[in-house]
Amino acid sequence: MLQKHRFWRFVELGIDPYITEYSFEVRESLAKIREKYAYLKSGEETQDRHSVAGRILGIRRHGKITFMVLDDGTAQIQLVFRYDVIGETLWNVVELLNVGDIIGVIGRPMKTLRGELSLLVENFKVLAITWRDYPEKWHGLADAEKRYRLRYLDLMLNKKVREAMVAMYRIEKAFRDFLDSKGFIEIHTPKLQPVYGGALARPFITKIHALNRDVYLSIAPETYLKRSIIANFFKVYEIAVCFRNEDIDAQHYPEFIQIEIYQAFADWNGMMKLVEEMVSHAIKTVYGDYKIDVERNNEKLVLDFTPPWKRVPLEEAIEFFGHVKVKGKSYEELIDIAKELDIKVQDPRKGKLLEKIFEKVAQPKIQQPTFITLFPRDVSPLARPFRENPEYAERFEIYIGGLEVGNGYSELNNPILQFYFFSKEEELRVKSREKFGEVEHHPMDKDYVRALEYGMPPTAGVGIGIYRLVMILHGLDSIKDAIPYTIVEQDEFETVAEQHPDILEYYTARLGLK
RNA sequence: GGGCCCGUAGCUCAGCCAGGUAGAGCGGCGGGCUCUUAACCCGUAGACCAGCUAUGGGCGGAGGUCCCGGGUUCGAAUCCCGGCGGGCCCGCCA
């Protein structure tokens, strides 16, 4: 580094970015100021003074007047620094400021001649500086690797991602408020479980040293939420982290958030009604309308969440959307159909074949919120058999924007059948291993069966993937964009303390740390 | 597990196919400009190490260098092989 770091120039002006200021009294948010002073006419100034703080995200210097963009997390506003207003001492500091620095400002709302609502700065404090250069103003942070590795910059600068994060919080809050108004309570289920279950997926295995035993990270809260139903908590839910040790792609990530809801004395019809009511309520609360505009891959799409949503049985959906006849076909016939459709599937269950065919020919065509109903019983070990035909389960999945975002059913509350289905799952595992390799199955959970033996009322349940929902609503290409922080391998780099021994020396000496 | 693509300055990228002195824009630094908003205009350093003078920079020299390591070649950012990091698609899961 030949150039003296600008840090030293702050010090020369009597400003140490970590020692001079320890706090700043913020009296107003930029969002409020924008709202309150929207009425100002171009060229108009007020005598009101406001105290705000945030990060500088843009600088335009014009000699003795400088414009900056300040972002306080609620909104952005233009700051106007005028030499004749702040004087020479502060002006010298203005000249040192970079994009990324954090300042506290006292200023008067005004509108510039070009009509930009601004704060005319009367005083300001440097609260922290950035040691690293920020991305280019026009393209921003675009490189995928850097976006995920330096996610705080991505979250700070990329509007689409940032909006999705805020929306996710609001959607979760709307779900909670809705369920609360209906008398539901949230129960936190264990993330470390002796038997994994509630879904068909490979689990993470970890160890509890205190007990010297292996445990599984929860793949779903389901069996514990249903234990809660048995505990006479008849309306429960959880917004739960689930861990599934599967591969990562645009629609899957090993840890994800799901809301699971269980309501006693209801069946799948009641649950579908609750879901469409709750989701459409959240959409309207967060976006202001049941219909929302989504832009994905430069294509515009209007999603209409107005209840009721369409309900289409699985086999009908295959025939209607995919134009493939599957009703009444045998296992062998379905294998042939799958082959013709270029679907690689190795599974002894007829239901699995139907699911695969559905995913290939029908799913991409289902854009509007839709319940696909009547899933095969053999792929639904926790669901109650369909009352009119036990080959099917009273199970539905929720599809929006061509993606599966949820799954629900009339819960199997018969402990005798539940034991039988679990046993069948174990058999399936053993049989399939010889013939097809490892097949996803639900492990035997006798402890859960015993809970059912104490009596579970008729109950309906559902799980909705929050990241997937947000991904669709905001037209994000990858589920990773909807997840605040995803995993990346460690990289090598030097810290500022390593690059600038003089500055390290300054601080250790200044604070007497030697 | 299989396939495809990418990695060059702080950022966004060109150069690679057809091997021959490492580039642009933005950002930085210096100068000009009191209503701009991707501000503009002029200049300049910067891809790693490091010597001598001196703390503002200047002067001169040797090597290195395009994610890393090999190879081919008189010569590699460029071609080949292997690795690392990242993305996308297929298979399995939501």
Side-chain angles (χ1 to χ4, degrees):
Chain A
M1 281 279 154
L2 286 167
Q3 235 153 37
K4 197 173 162 189
H5 198 282
R6 74 185 176 111
F7 164 78
W8 293 115
R9 291 193 276 162
F10 279 104
V11 173
E12 278 162 23
L13 294 174
I15 294 170
D16 181 296
Y18 303 106
I19 291 177
T20 312
E21 304 296 335
Y22 270 62
S23 67
F24 188 84
E25 193 176 347
V26 177
R27 295 212 189 81
E28 196 64 284
S29 73
L30 293 183
K32 283 266 169 57
I33 289 176
R34 293 208 76 96
E35 200 178 301
K36 200 168 161 189
Y37 293 96
Y39 71 88
L40 287 176
K41 292 190 180 71
S42 295
E44 205 176 341
E45 270 182 44
T46 71
Q47 295 305 312
D48 301 350
R49 281 190 177 73
H50 289 288
S51 172
V52 299
R55 190 185 301 274
I56 298 166
L57 290 185
I59 301 180
R60 294 179 288 277
R61 300 181 196 274
H62 296 257
K64 294 281 187 278
I65 186 167
T66 290
F67 302 94
M68 298 196 192
V69 177
L70 186 76
D71 186 311
D72 79 339
T74 69
Q76 301 185 343
I77 202 164
Q78 176 170 272
L79 302 178
V80 179
F81 295 83
R82 269 169 47 186
Y83 181 85
D84 60 327
V85 174
I86 60 174
E88 190 179 354
T89 309
L90 281 177
W91 188 257
N92 289 335
V93 182
V94 168
E95 294 198 312
L96 289 185
L97 291 173
N98 275 4
V99 168
D101 291 340
I102 294 169
I103 59 174
V105 167
I106 293 170
R108 303 204 320 258
M110 60 167 287
K111 210 166 236 180
T112 63
L113 299 178
R114 292 291 183 92
E116 179 78 31
L117 181 62
S118 309
L119 283 176
L120 181 62
V121 178
E122 294 188 329
N123 199 356
F124 70 94
K125 301 280 189 193
V126 176
L127 304 177
I129 63 167
T130 175
W131 299 87
R132 294 182 177 272
D133 291 327
Y134 272 58
E136 191 213 16
K137 59 191 163 194
W138 185 239
H139 297 93
L141 186 69
D143 180 75
E145 177 166 353
K146 286 181 184 108
R147 283 189 51 221
Y148 295 126
R149 199 177 280 289
L150 310 178
R151 197 75 209 283
Y152 34 86
L153 287 185
D154 193 35
L155 291 166
M156 181 199 302
L157 301 170
N158 287 331
K159 204 174 160 214
K160 203 167 179 178
V161 174
R162 196 176 175 86
E163 282 172 352
M165 293 301 139
V166 176
M168 179 148 48
Y169 161 73
R170 290 192 180 140
I171 288 167
E172 287 182 19
K173 177 164 165 36
F175 284 173
R176 284 196 164 102
D177 289 347
F178 176 87
L179 292 170
D180 185 62
S181 76
K182 302 254 176 197
F184 284 79
I185 65 165
E186 181 164 18
I187 300 271
H188 290 292
T189 62
K191 302 298 159 250
L192 300 173
Q193 304 180 352
V195 179
Y196 64 94
L200 305 178
R202 193 202 310 172
F204 286 92
I205 302 170
T206 187
K207 185 162 190 166
I208 299 186
H209 290 294
L211 302 176
N212 190 29
R213 62 157 301 172
D214 286 343
V215 289
Y216 302 101
L217 293 190
S218 171
I219 61 168
E222 172 155 351
T223 55
Y224 286 93
L225 286 175
K226 288 197 285 198
R227 281 178 175 87
S228 305
I229 294 279
I230 294 162
N232 282 17
F233 293 115
F234 288 140
K235 291 176 171 182
V236 293
Y237 73 97
E238 182 183 17
I239 296 182
V241 187
C242 303
F243 303 92
R244 299 189 187 173
N245 210 345
E246 313 277 356
D247 269 357
I248 299 171
D249 64 28
Q251 288 86 39
H252 300 84
Y253 194 76
E255 58 173 309
F256 64 102
I257 309 273
Q258 239 197 130
I259 182 169
E260 284 206 5
I261 306 165
Y262 293 86
Q263 179 172 21
F265 316 117
D267 63 7
W268 62 332
N269 288 311
M271 189 48 74
M272 281 188 270
K273 207 160 170 269
L274 186 84
V275 166
E276 64 195 2
E277 236 184 282
M278 179 182 79
V279 174
S280 59
H281 164 262
I283 296 293
K284 193 163 190 183
T285 304
V286 175
Y287 302 99
D289 196 348
Y290 288 133
K291 289 183 189 168
I292 65 164
D293 296 318
V294 176
E295 200 179 328
R296 197 176 46 179
N297 306 326
N298 300 322
E299 275 177 42
K300 287 199 174 164
L301 174 69
V302 179
L303 291 178
D304 185 355
F305 287 85
T306 312
W309 302 347
K310 243 186 263 164
R311 289 158 170 70
V312 187
L314 181 75
E315 290 174 332
E316 265 177 43
I318 293 171
E319 300 196 347
F320 178 78
F321 291 105
H323 311 292
V324 176
K325 294 280 168 220
V326 289
K327 282 186 189 170
K329 303 277 188 192
S330 67
Y331 176 82
E332 288 72 21
E333 286 171 314
L334 290 176
I335 285 277
D336 289 341
I337 291 169
K339 258 185 207 149
E340 268 171 48
L341 292 168
D342 204 22
I343 299 167
K344 291 170 206 144
V345 61
Q346 290 204 318
D347 200 288
R349 290 164 296 184
K350 194 176 158 184
K352 195 74 191 174
L353 303 182
L354 284 170
E355 279 187 329
K356 287 279 135 197
I357 293 166
F358 168 79
E359 284 167 21
K360 176 97 177 188
V361 302
Q363 183 179 333
K365 294 179 182 165
I366 305 173
Q367 295 296 323
Q368 296 306 321
T370 304
F371 294 110
I372 299 300
T373 63
L374 273 186
F375 276 68
R377 215 296 309 155
D378 60 5
V379 289
S380 315
L382 293 159
R384 203 163 166 163
F386 183 38
R387 60 198 81 177
E388 292 169 27
N389 180 352
E391 269 186 44
Y392 299 95
E394 296 202 354
R395 173 176 167 200
F396 62 88
E397 288 191 339
I398 304 156
Y399 286 85
I400 306 169
L403 259 190
E404 181 189 348
V405 299
N407 181 18
Y409 32 85
S410 299
E411 305 293 338
L412 182 62
N413 62 342
N414 177 337
I416 292 101
L417 267 186
Q418 186 68 80
F419 177 77
Y420 175 74
F421 289 161
F422 280 160
S423 307
K424 284 285 173 196
E425 289 284 316
E426 290 286 331
E427 258 177 53
L428 165 78
R429 186 174 76 106
V430 174
K431 266 198 246 163
S432 307
R433 194 150 39 184
E434 298 159 9
K435 219 170 152 188
F436 306 113
E438 202 65 40
V439 163
E440 298 302 341
H441 71 288
H442 198 293
M444 169 62 76
D445 189 346
K446 279 182 78 172
D447 186 76
Y448 171 67
V449 172
R450 176 171 59 188
L452 291 181
E453 288 169 353
Y454 281 94
M456 184 167 92
T459 296
V462 73
I464 298 170
I466 304 283
Y467 293 150
R468 285 241 178 123
L469 183 61
V470 169
M471 181 184 161
I472 293 157
L473 297 174
H474 289 262
L476 302 175
D477 300 321
S478 168
I479 196 165
K480 285 170 86 173
D481 289 332
I483 302 173
Y485 299 94
T486 56
I487 195 162
V488 277
E489 291 296 320
Q490 293 290 321
D491 61 342
E492 279 181 28
F493 60 91
E494 277 199 324
T495 66
V496 170
E498 290 166 310
Q499 287 169 340
H500 299 279
D502 54 333
I503 297 171
L504 177 61
E505 167 69 24
Y506 163 85
Y507 274 110
T508 51
R510 181 101 196 241
L511 300 176
L513 299 173
K514 275 267 159 91

